[in-house]
Amino acid sequence: MNRLNIAALFVLAGCGVSFAADEKSTAEVKKVTFEDDVKPIFRQHCASCHNQGDKKGGLALDTYTALIEGGGSGEVVYDDGDPSASRLWQLVNHDDTPIMPPNQDKLPAEQLAVIQAWIEGGILENSGSKVKAKKKNSLAFVASTGGKPEGPVAMPETIPQRVPVVTERAAAISAIGTSPWAPLVAIAGQKQISLYHTETSELLGILPFEEGIAQSLRFSRDGSFLIAGGGEHSLKGISAIYDVKTGERVATVGDEFDVVFDADVNASMSRVAMGGPQKMLRIYDATDGELLFDLKKHTDWIFAVAYSPDGVLIASGDRSGGLSLWEADTGRLYMDLTGHKGAINSVAWRDDSNVLASASDDGTVKMWDVNEGKTIKSFNAHGGGVTSVAFDHQGRLVTAGKDNRAKLWDANGGLIRQFQPVAEDVLEVAITHDGSRVIYGDWDGQVFSALAEKPEQKEALAANPPPAAERAKVVQQQLASIQKTMQPIKADLDAAMNAVAAAQKPIDELNAKIAAAKAEAEKSKAAAEAAAKKVGELDGQMPALASVSRDKHDAVIAVRVQTNGDVAKLEAVAAAEQALIDHMTQLVKLRRDRVATHNSIATHQQASAAKTAEAAELAKGLPALQEALAKAQQAAEAMKQKYDGVATQLTAVQTKLDQLSAAIN
């Protein structure tokens, strides 16, 4: 067994296959190192061109130190354990060009396995080297809601409905943009931008773009504004900013002599960056249109321009593969990102501003750590070239390419799924705010909105919609259909409301009877209390009256004794006796009144108890009636919700018809 085969076995061991030294112990897995395993491979295939005496491309591979230093374009291998991010691996594995070794077949599989295992093991120099603790690179992404407005997100409310240009078919799709927080997509057409609801595929309105064709569409960070860059080749280029709710163009920035290929605004909406065939990245003041910076680094047409979400950097890419980062505030060059071998067609920032993705004609998408300026992931996305790339809030990517497909990738650049192919190159792609739909357009002018989880479920969206009069006929049919649907629902709602009223009536009647019984009970209770009070008052009067009666009786006796048979004094006796009689008559009346009042207390109490019992008995009938009422109310509420839903549709369709009618007139 030769040295390379032994090394290959060590690779297998590192992947989980162990070799027993004996039945009682397991041998430690041997480290794959530069000196012992990788250097012999480089000496066999690479050292003639890449050595200390002849550093082709500024790279030497005959010593560990020289290899780690890298070549003229920077480092070629990293200790992060990810071979796909290594420039060295991309070339020897023929994932990128120029392939290495040049003019030779790919290295044998066992030798590639050794190099791969060496990178995955931490690019150790020798057997005494230790693996460094892996740093978390910028792929350790945490989704955020930065930029989301506190209130309702912006959606079209009074967008124009007139179609500026009516054509039999749309031109090649030049731009698609989705709102970061709302179910809204913008699609570029000839002298117009169409806005669609991404969940219903409803055409919400059409923004005029009289300058030509929009080549780029981006929403502001909060989704309130749409930024369109475009114009007409060799004639005019501008950047237009629209209010999403009203469709009003609030600003037109720039006056280029050629079309603008891409444009973007910073987070504060104070600056606009744009690039095009003039090879200059231009930064304007968004408020007054003043040119602030004219950056002349690029040597070819600038295809891609994008501000980082935090507004710190601007990325720009050109037709010759040049990719640069600029300080947004000063316009100074921050760094160049080298590695692409073809035109940079599209760039996209991840939400955290730490990673930039670039799509190139070389067929790759590269993910860049903008803090260190190195590639953290590079993958072959589309044969023939990648035309567009975009991130969602989860850090996933969508891409479009010249292999006639759109694709969805995870945050680490792993393919999740492909979307159904079309007949021509897919030129533009975007993903909705919630990641549920992928929207892509091709060279034939077709645009499709497909479910991210079920790509076969897709709907077509027209970049150049039919004229308002034609769409109005469709809306009139919708209105008539909704009105027809609404009639039986309205009848059912009326019946349900009548049922509620019918169920309420016996409850009201029973409650009235219960209330009357309770009122009678309270009245009798009050009468008993009043009688008891009166008895107390009479009892208080009796002792004094009894005492007076004794006194008057004594007076009668005294007068009688004094007469002593004297007839003349009999009148005094009669007067005394009359006074006694009058007083006793009053006392008798009070005593009888007291007896009657006392007796009435029990009568009133019994009446109160009877009425209270009557009210309680009546109340027993309430639960059944209330249950019937609750069912009727529930049925009525369900019917009302159904009615309100249709009524809302009716209002929306009527509003759309009114808007279309205004556009026709």
Side-chain angles (χ1 to χ4, degrees):
M1 184 179 291
N2 61 32
R3 186 188 189 102
L4 292 177
N5 288 334
I6 293 174
L9 289 177
F10 289 143
V11 173
L12 292 174
C15 296
V17 180
S18 61
F19 298 87
D22 52 45
E23 295 181 357
K24 297 182 179 179
S25 64
T26 302
E28 293 184 3
V29 177
K30 179 185 177 298
K31 298 176 181 177
V32 180
T33 69
F34 176 81
E35 291 293 337
D36 294 337
D37 306 297
V38 178
K39 185 176 180 180
I41 299 174
F42 289 164
R43 182 178 294 150
Q44 178 183 355
H45 298 283
C46 312
S48 61
C49 296
H50 297 285
N51 57 70
Q52 294 295 326
D54 184 11
K55 294 184 178 181
K56 184 167 288 188
L59 176 64
L61 300 177
D62 54 348
T63 70
Y64 180 81
T65 302
L67 171 59
I68 297 305
E69 287 179 355
S73 60
E75 297 176 82
V76 296
V77 67
Y78 307 104
D79 60 3
D80 58 5
D82 182 7
S84 65
S86 164
R87 181 67 176 156
L88 173 68
W89 174 257
Q90 293 168 8
L91 300 184
V92 299
N93 198 45
H94 292 191
D95 291 334
D96 203 349
T97 56
I99 60 173
M100 292 294 169
N103 304 317
Q104 294 185 33
D105 293 334
K106 197 174 181 179
L107 294 181
E110 63 268 20
Q111 292 186 349
L112 289 172
V114 171
I115 297 173
Q116 181 179 3
W118 175 62
I119 297 173
E120 290 176 344
I123 60 172
L124 301 180
E125 180 179 3
N126 51 51
S127 58
S129 302
K130 293 183 179 180
V131 179
K132 295 181 180 179
K134 291 184 180 180
K135 297 186 298 181
K136 288 185 178 180
N137 61 32
S138 295
L139 285 174
F141 168 66
V142 177
S144 71
T145 57
K148 186 175 183 179
E150 293 183 2
V153 294
M155 283 290 287
E157 296 174 357
T158 56
I159 300 295
Q161 297 294 326
R162 188 179 70 85
V163 178
V165 176
V166 178
T167 61
E168 291 185 4
R169 59 177 294 275
I173 301 304
S174 58
I176 297 175
T178 50
S179 168
W181 308 115
L184 179 64
V185 62
I187 301 172
Q190 288 121 310
K191 293 192 174 184
Q192 58 197 301
I193 301 165
S194 300
L195 300 179
Y196 286 90
H197 195 296
T198 58
E199 295 174 358
T200 64
S201 298
E202 177 190 0
L203 178 63
L204 301 178
I206 301 145
L207 304 175
F209 192 79
E210 297 296 334
E211 291 80 3
I213 297 177
Q215 300 292 329
S216 72
L217 293 171
R218 298 178 185 272
F219 283 82
S220 61
R221 287 284 290 154
D222 64 358
S224 297
F225 298 93
L226 176 67
I227 299 87
E232 191 172 343
H233 286 280
S234 303
L235 183 62
K236 186 178 183 63
I238 59 101
S239 176
I241 302 176
Y242 298 88
D243 185 308
V244 168
K245 291 183 179 180
T246 64
E248 178 187 2
R249 184 185 287 198
V250 296
T252 301
V253 180
D255 187 12
E256 305 295 295
F257 296 117
D258 209 330
V259 67
V260 170
F261 284 134
D262 203 357
D264 196 12
V265 296
N266 60 356
S268 63
M269 294 289 294
S270 61
R271 291 184 177 183
V272 178
M274 59 183 70
Q278 297 186 44
K279 308 175 187 178
M280 290 182 288
L281 178 63
R282 286 182 164 152
I283 315 297
Y284 289 86
D285 187 307
T287 59
D288 59 14
E290 179 186 358
L291 179 62
L292 302 177
F293 302 114
D294 208 352
L295 309 177
K296 303 177 181 179
K297 165 74 175 176
H298 290 281
T299 60
D300 209 334
W301 292 6
I302 298 174
F303 283 165
V305 175
Y307 274 97
S308 61
D310 58 13
V312 174
L313 297 174
I314 310 172
S316 58
D318 66 34
R319 188 170 60 174
S320 294
L323 181 58
S324 300
L325 297 178
W326 310 84
E327 294 178 357
D329 289 339
T330 66
R332 289 195 293 263
L333 180 66
Y334 175 65
M335 66 172 63
D336 289 320
L337 303 175
T338 59
H340 278 300
K341 303 302 180 182
I344 309 295
N345 295 315
S346 176
V347 294
W349 289 93
R350 205 172 61 182
D351 278 2
D352 60 3
S353 299
N354 290 328
V355 172
L356 176 75
S358 54
S360 172
D361 267 350
D362 63 16
T364 68
V365 169
K366 296 186 185 297
M367 298 170 69
W368 306 89
D369 183 332
V370 299
N371 297 309
E372 298 186 9
K374 71 175 185 179
T375 306
I376 53 176
K377 193 73 177 180
S378 178
F379 54 93
N380 294 314
H382 297 270
V386 189
T387 55
S388 181
V389 64
F391 277 108
D392 71 359
H393 292 307
Q394 303 173 52
R396 302 183 304 176
L397 301 100
V398 285
T399 60
K402 296 181 180 180
D403 57 358
N404 305 351
R405 284 187 179 274
K407 299 179 182 180
L408 176 64
W409 311 81
D410 64 27
N412 293 313
L415 181 63
I416 297 176
R417 62 182 51 88
Q418 303 183 76
F419 292 79
Q420 293 182 333
V422 293
E424 294 289 344
D425 297 352
V426 180
L427 303 180
E428 295 290 332
V429 68
I431 189 166
T432 55
H433 71 291
D434 57 0
S436 64
R437 285 188 170 271
V438 173
I439 301 168
Y440 52 98
D442 67 11
W443 183 266
D444 273 345
Q446 299 181 103
V447 180
F448 297 101
S449 173
L451 288 176
E453 298 297 324
K454 297 179 180 179
E456 68 279 3
Q457 295 187 17
K458 62 182 181 180
E459 297 185 43
L461 305 177
N464 280 20
E470 185 176 332
R471 285 155 45 220
K473 294 178 182 178
V474 176
V475 175
Q476 284 176 334
Q477 294 175 352
Q478 293 176 345
L479 187 65
S481 176
I482 294 174
Q483 289 172 335
K484 185 177 180 180
T485 301
M486 198 171 188
Q487 290 175 356
I489 296 176
K490 179 63 167 62
D492 290 342
L493 177 60
D494 291 342
M497 297 304 294
N498 290 336
V500 171
Q504 183 67 53
K505 183 178 180 181
I507 293 176
D508 293 342
E509 292 174 348
L510 186 56
N511 279 329
K513 291 179 180 179
I514 293 171
K518 288 182 176 179
E520 288 295 325
E522 286 298 319
K523 183 178 179 181
S524 295
K525 181 181 177 182
E529 292 173 349
K533 181 179 179 182
K534 184 177 181 181
V535 168
E537 293 173 351
L538 292 174
D539 286 344
Q541 296 175 21
M542 288 298 179
L545 291 174
S547 177
V548 171
S549 67
R550 288 194 297 269
D551 292 344
K552 290 187 178 294
H553 188 270
D554 291 343
V556 169
I557 294 173
V559 172
R560 285 177 179 174
V561 171
Q562 291 175 3
T563 59
N564 196 21
D566 188 349
V567 177
K569 295 182 179 180
L570 290 177
E571 182 60 32
V573 174
E577 289 175 341
Q578 186 62 53
L580 176 59
I581 291 170
D582 292 343
H583 181 75
M584 291 304 292
T585 300
Q586 180 183 4
L587 182 59
V588 169
K589 182 177 180 303
L590 286 177
R591 288 188 185 279
R592 287 175 175 168
D593 193 12
R594 194 268 182 199
V595 171
T597 302
H598 179 269
N599 291 338
S600 71
I601 293 175
T603 301
H604 291 314
Q605 288 175 337
Q606 290 172 358
S608 177
K611 287 298 181 180
T612 299
E614 180 183 344
E617 188 64 28
L618 290 171
K620 291 179 180 180
L622 279 176
L625 296 175
Q626 289 171 336
E627 182 178 357
L629 175 62
K631 289 181 179 179
Q633 289 174 330
Q634 185 177 6
E637 180 61 29
M639 189 55 61
K640 186 177 185 303
Q641 290 180 1
K642 185 176 181 180
Y643 175 83
D644 288 346
V646 178
T648 299
Q649 292 180 13
L650 184 66
T651 301
V653 173
Q654 183 64 60
T655 300
K656 177 62 71 67
L657 183 59
D658 293 343
Q659 293 174 342
L660 289 170
S661 299
I664 295 170
N665 299 330

